[in-house]
Amino acid sequence: MHFRSLPALLALSLFFLAPALAAQSSVSEFRLGGSAAVLNDECIRLTPATPYVSGSAWFQNPMDLEYPFELTVDLVLGENDELGADGIVFVFHPNMQTGYRGEGMGFAGLYPSLGIEFDTYQNFHLGDPSGDHVAIMPHGQAHHARSMVGPVEVPNLENGAKRPLTISWHPGKHTLEVRLDGQLRASYTGDIVAEIFGGNSKVYWGATAATGRKINYQDVCIRKLVYAMVD
């Protein structure tokens, strides 16, 4: 195993002082599924503004959750507000797959998994609040009765802007933190390796999204990815 730092453009950085291999990353290193397509050298469009599609982008090398990571991307959740759906989920999973579309946001049905959802549509039957929201969800479950954290309401996400997202994991403290727009939106403390992945610390990470009857284009843009990568 070695530590790899993967910034989107030119800067290279190390997460902490340790023997490390630093290298650049590009969107070509992601495996795309469903409706996902490369937009440019930084951004992947997970869904176009088309009904009933789902897409995913998975980095092709797994990470080791026994070590810390910090992943920084930009999310773009489209421009349709009242008529927009459904959102993006940042996912950790032993395989690179796309889950169910619509309210499943390309995450539903992925087991075992941990998903950090950025939900832009209120599904009453799933316990969604009225506003856009963030939640940490286990095992491809979409109903908030199963939420590990949240739902936490956030200001409107569907304004076409790039929304900076940083997700960090501190295994010594067993703490997962989610910062959106520079603010801590969700934090979970627990042994996710044991609780979610049955002791398997080697997982893939990626982003999924979907539309249903209502639509939005939904993108993820890579900024900085620093973690212990499995050989």
Side-chain angles (χ1 to χ4, degrees):
M1 176 210 309
H2 54 271
F3 296 95
R4 187 176 183 185
S5 175
L6 302 165
L9 297 176
L10 299 177
L12 299 177
S13 62
L14 299 180
F15 189 66
F16 59 93
L17 295 177
L21 173 65
Q24 289 182 312
S25 177
S26 72
V27 292
S28 65
E29 295 182 76
F30 288 77
R31 178 178 294 180
L32 306 186
S35 62
V38 171
L39 281 182
N40 52 48
D41 61 359
E42 289 184 300
C43 299
I44 295 167
R45 177 148 292 172
L46 298 170
T47 68
T50 302
Y52 301 108
V53 295
S54 60
S56 62
W58 292 92
F59 193 73
Q60 296 186 68
N61 294 302
M63 63 164 53
D64 190 339
L65 295 176
E66 295 294 339
Y67 296 87
F69 69 73
E70 182 174 285
L71 310 179
T72 302
V73 300
D74 289 324
L75 301 181
V76 182
L77 289 127
E79 299 176 284
N80 294 328
D81 189 4
E82 293 300 321
L83 299 177
D86 271 272
I88 293 176
V89 184
F90 204 95
V91 186
F92 301 90
H93 185 48
N95 300 297
M96 294 179 281
Q97 297 176 282
T98 308
Y100 301 131
R101 65 192 184 191
E103 64 192 30
M105 291 180 285
F107 165 67
L110 299 184
Y111 182 94
S113 65
L114 184 146
I116 302 166
E117 70 165 22
F118 302 87
D119 193 331
T120 61
Y121 184 74
Q122 184 180 24
N123 290 288
F124 294 96
H125 63 286
L126 297 180
D128 287 350
S130 59
D132 296 346
H133 54 278
V134 176
I136 301 177
M137 310 292 290
H139 302 318
Q141 298 289 326
H143 198 294
H144 287 299
R146 296 294 308 276
S147 292
M148 298 163 64
V149 177
V152 178
E153 289 198 57
V154 296
N156 178 39
L157 299 175
E158 299 159 290
N159 62 359
K162 287 185 176 181
R163 317 303 290 261
L165 165 68
T166 297
I167 300 172
S168 57
W169 166 244
H170 309 279
K173 300 178 180 179
H174 288 161
T175 301
L176 180 72
E177 296 181 332
V178 180
R179 287 178 168 81
L180 182 68
D181 295 329
Q183 297 186 40
L184 182 65
R185 301 294 188 179
S187 178
Y188 176 77
T189 299
D191 187 353
I192 61 176
V193 173
E195 295 171 2
I196 301 297
F197 298 109
N200 175 27
S201 64
K202 314 303 191 298
V203 297
Y204 293 93
W205 66 269
T208 69
T211 66
R213 181 174 55 87
K214 296 186 177 183
I215 60 175
N216 254 322
Y217 67 85
Q218 299 172 112
D219 308 338
V220 59
C221 301
I222 310 305
R223 295 180 62 189
K224 184 178 69 173
L225 316 172
V226 187
Y227 60 90
M229 190 179 69
V230 181
D231 289 323

